[in-house]
Amino acid sequence: DWYNAAMTGYVWRHRYWLRQALRQSVAQWPHAQQRSTPHAQQRSTPCAALHVRRSDVKLETGQRAPAGFHHVSEYLLRGRAMLEALGIRRIVLLTDSADAVKEAKEVGDYEWEWLDKARYADDSDNIQFSFPFPSGDPTLETLQLLTELEVVKQCSMLITDEGGNFAHLLYTSMCGRDADSWSCPP
């Protein structure tokens, strides 16, 4: 709806140094595209965003949450019909897990890309809610998250778990506005 979109745009406005850093970071992405409009149909190479959440399923006690981990192939199984229907071969992987990146490399059916950044290993004892930045640098990780949010605007669909705030934010950022209506991916 219009009000939420306007407020999101206002809240997400960036300071000049951050806008410059974000522009540079997005330009370094492997398939960076210059687009005059964020509308979903302006993409030259179709892609899907795959969001694999792992660090927050490990509880502060060190035990894994009941939901457990899902292999990248499980996410792909969920989205395969739509990927095939849209003819998508390129997948942008968004994850905090080094192991999810390894799993993606094992799935040879797609062209994978991801941001080269610090990630947790699934069996790491360093996963803590009290300090959720594997790089140790909150400013850098904020820039990396904003870069990923900007890059997924190029994608035609989102594959994720049952939800969560970041997944909702990813989906919302993928929606584009044309002259008369909102257009969101499936």
Side-chain angles (χ1 to χ4, degrees):
D1 66 326
W2 181 87
Y3 180 76
N4 285 339
M7 288 307 296
T8 300
Y10 177 76
V11 169
W12 280 97
R13 72 192 186 290
H14 308 297
R15 294 177 184 231
Y16 180 75
W17 71 267
L18 184 55
R19 284 195 314 265
Q20 297 296 54
L22 181 57
R23 197 171 291 130
Q24 182 179 13
S25 181
V26 169
Q28 292 172 356
W29 194 273
H31 287 84
Q33 301 175 42
Q34 296 299 322
R35 295 175 300 140
S36 59
T37 174
H39 189 273
Q41 302 308 314
Q42 297 294 320
R43 301 171 181 104
S44 62
T45 306
C47 66
L50 174 60
H51 177 229
V52 178
R53 253 174 49 171
R54 295 246 176 109
S55 69
D56 58 348
V57 299
K58 186 168 183 181
L59 304 173
E60 283 198 37
T61 61
Q63 301 297 314
R64 292 187 181 198
F69 294 111
H70 298 287
H71 195 278
V72 167
S73 61
E74 292 178 57
Y75 286 92
L76 290 174
L77 200 61
R78 182 181 299 165
R80 188 169 307 276
M82 186 64 73
L83 289 167
E84 290 174 3
L86 295 173
I88 294 174
R89 308 294 328 142
R90 185 176 79 132
I91 299 180
V92 176
L93 179 63
L94 308 164
T95 186
D96 55 5
S97 168
D99 292 335
V101 172
K102 290 177 193 172
E103 292 167 17
K105 290 178 182 178
E106 295 169 2
V107 179
D109 298 343
Y110 300 97
E111 299 170 26
W112 291 92
E113 58 188 69
W114 52 83
L115 188 62
D116 186 22
K117 64 180 188 175
R119 291 182 166 82
Y120 291 116
D122 290 339
D123 57 358
S124 173
D125 291 330
N126 296 326
I127 299 175
Q128 300 174 5
F129 287 116
S130 58
F131 195 72
F133 305 109
S135 71
D137 185 346
T139 303
L140 173 64
E141 295 215 20
T142 298
L143 177 61
Q144 291 170 338
L145 286 172
L146 291 172
T147 299
E148 290 173 333
L149 282 168
E150 195 64 29
V151 168
V152 299
K153 290 178 183 179
Q154 301 174 10
C155 294
S156 302
M157 68 177 284
L158 174 65
I159 303 169
T160 187
D161 58 7
E162 296 302 319
N165 292 327
F166 189 66
H168 180 73
L169 185 59
L170 285 169
Y171 183 77
T172 303
S173 74
M174 294 170 71
C175 298
R177 176 145 175 79
D178 60 22
D180 298 315
S181 64
W182 285 97
S183 172
C184 294

